[in-house]
């Protein structure tokens, strides 16, 4: 089977890079993009107690509105995957970040619950930075360091969430929640200024040649590519590929793992400040600080897990980490002091959020080049569904005066994530993408 040739020099426009320098630029760019998208996604949950009062909403309505943003992320995942496999990885990354900046920034100017709900739904496009950024890195990173590099990129999410928590700790006590969302214009500015530094990965360029040469293929002619791409399968619609007999198992396993693990993350992401101020009687400043600490722990963990994934199969890591994470999420259901809350949330940040240090790598490696965009975005998009229902269900449960049931439910979902992954393929680390049998 053919293996990706390593270019010593890479030309992007008029700029010529060493390969190692260019890979570093890709990692930095995608990290920043995911960081900014994460910053925006965290802010509504952190500011929710104040937003509820300012816009005259109940906790149930607030939870439902947050849920709509994650529903949009799932729906957008169904679109961005085929877009990546047809339009390009880089172009899709640009579209996502520009959309994030526009819709998130407008949140600062909403005047009622309806406007807030519509804008937050549209801002859900921001999660697409995870889909597009990870495919970019997976296809550019050298096989020996794919895990650590993807772990670094994925750490952009807890980094953005942690910084959002720090900023919220400083701003929210003043009551000026709108100021938080003014920072959300940054993704659009960032991508407009620096997108020229990126190229379309060679794998996509070769895939594009195959698709464009469909008529030639149908007449028995071959396409000159440097990778082995199944011409017949490559010209099929993306969703037909990922649900075909050779890919359906990985499609189901990677999708369900994300769905279940995000059940726990959805609690921390959207309702943590409300939960901690209600159950553990923390101030909003203390609650925001506790969430920030959890995300700082996840930041360190995701990089470390990415490093481990270059030595240990990612599937094995996902199983072990999610089981431990379920324990820490359950502990959060037990009311306690400041220290107890920090212990529970930091533990979940290390082991629950930490799974994303190798989950995106496992997902990218589960699909061949011809379906990587569609498969990765579908699996990660499905993972957003639990972020959709957790705020809504959690809001209803808390409104019914049973708040302790929320982290228990989250713990069960996280545990299910570890169990379902037993049925996934064991993929050896440090293989080139073309060497991974599908």
């Amino acid at each position: 089977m053919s293996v990706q040739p390593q270019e010593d020099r890479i030309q992007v426009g008029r700029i010529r890079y060493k390969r190692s320098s260019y890979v570093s630029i890709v990692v930095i760019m995608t990290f920043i993009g995911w960081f900014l998208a994460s910053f925006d996604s965290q802010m509504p949950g952190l500011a929710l107690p104040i937003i509820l009062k300012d816009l005259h909403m109940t906790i149930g309505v607030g939870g439902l509105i947050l849920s709509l943003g994650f529903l949009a992320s799932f729906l957008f995942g169904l679109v961005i995957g085929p877009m990546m496999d047809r339009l390009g990885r880089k172009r899709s990354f640009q579209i996502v970040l520009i959309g994030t900046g526009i819709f998130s920034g407008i949140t600062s100017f909403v005047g009622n619950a309806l406007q807030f709900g519509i804008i937050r739904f549209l801002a859900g496009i921001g999660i697409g930075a995870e889909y597009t950024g990870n495919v970019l890195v997976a296809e550019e990173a050298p096989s020996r360091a794919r895990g650590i590099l993807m772990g670094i990129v994925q750490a952009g999410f807890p980094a953005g969430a942690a910084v959002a928590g720090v900023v919220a700790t400083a701003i929210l006590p003043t009551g000026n929640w709108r100021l938080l969302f003014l920072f959300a214009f940054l993704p659009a500015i960032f991508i407009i200024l620096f997108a020229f530094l990126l190229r379309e990965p060679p794998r996509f360029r070769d895939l594009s040649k195959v698709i464009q040469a469909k008529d030639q293929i149908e007449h028995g002619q071959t396409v000159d590519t440097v990778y082995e791409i199944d011409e017949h399968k490559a010209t099929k619609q993306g969703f037909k590929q990922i649900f075909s007999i050779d890919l359906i198992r990985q499609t189901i396993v990677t999708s369900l793992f994300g769905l279940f693990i995000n059940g726990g993350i959805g609690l921390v992401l959207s309702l943590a400040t409300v939960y901690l101020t209600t159950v553990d009687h923390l101030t909003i400043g203390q609650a925001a600080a506790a969430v920030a600490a959890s995300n700082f722990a996840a930041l360190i963990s995701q990089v470390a897990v990415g490093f481990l994934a270059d030595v240990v199969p990612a599937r094995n890591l996902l199983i072990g980490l999610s089981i431990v994470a379920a324990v820490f999420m359950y502990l959060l259901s037990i009311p306690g002091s400041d220290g107890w809350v920090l212990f529970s949330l930091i533990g979940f940040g290390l082991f629950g959020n930490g799974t994303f240090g190798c989950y995106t790598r496992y997902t990218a490696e589960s699909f061949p080049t011809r379906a990587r965009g569609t498969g990765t975005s579908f699996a990660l998009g499905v993972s957003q569904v639990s972020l959709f229902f957790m705020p809504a269900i959690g809001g209803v449960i808390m409104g019914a005066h049973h708040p302790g049931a929320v982290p228990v439910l989250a713990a069960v979902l996280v545990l299910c994530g570890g169990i379902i992954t037993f049925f996934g393929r064991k993929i050896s680390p440090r293989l080139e993408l073309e060497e991974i049998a599908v």
Side-chain angles (χ1 to χ4, degrees), residues 138-175:
E139 295 190 340
E140 293 283 9
S143 59
R144 67 182 183 280
R146 188 182 304 125
I148 182 64
L149 294 179
M150 294 189 72
I152 290 172
V153 170
Q154 196 58 34
F157 187 87
V163 172
V166 172
V167 174
T169 301
I171 293 177
L172 288 179
T174 70

Side-chain angles (χ1 to χ4, degrees), residues 256-404:
L256 289 183
F257 175 83
L259 178 75
F260 291 135
I261 196 72
N262 264 343
I265 294 174
L267 171 66
V268 178
L269 185 67
S270 57
L271 294 176
T273 53
V274 176
Y275 179 85
L276 296 178
T277 54
T278 301
V279 175
D280 298 288
H281 307 294
L282 274 60
T283 67
I284 189 169
Q286 291 174 323
V291 174
S294 178
N295 283 300
F296 275 121
L299 169 62
I300 296 170
S301 177
Q302 288 186 5
V303 176
V305 169
F307 174 78
L308 287 175
D310 284 325
V311 181
V312 180
R315 188 200 71 156
N316 296 359
L317 289 172
L318 293 176
I319 294 170
L321 290 170
S322 59
I323 292 173
V324 178
V327 174
F328 279 101
M329 180 51 64
Y330 174 77
L331 294 179
L332 191 64
S333 68
I334 305 172
S337 64
D338 237 359
W340 178 256
V341 169
L342 281 173
F343 174 72
S344 303
L345 284 178
I346 289 175
F348 184 76
L350 289 172
F351 296 97
N353 243 319
T355 59
F356 277 80
C358 64
Y359 168 54
T360 53
R361 175 211 174 114
Y362 184 64
T363 303
E365 291 179 338
S366 293
F367 302 96
T369 297
R370 59 183 166 83
R372 186 166 295 118
T374 302
T376 299
S377 66
F378 179 82
L380 297 179
V382 169
S383 75
Q384 302 303 311
V385 174
S386 54
L387 295 178
F388 163 65
F389 70 72
M390 279 303 290
I393 293 178
V396 171
I397 293 174
M398 291 183 67
H401 307 294
H402 298 291

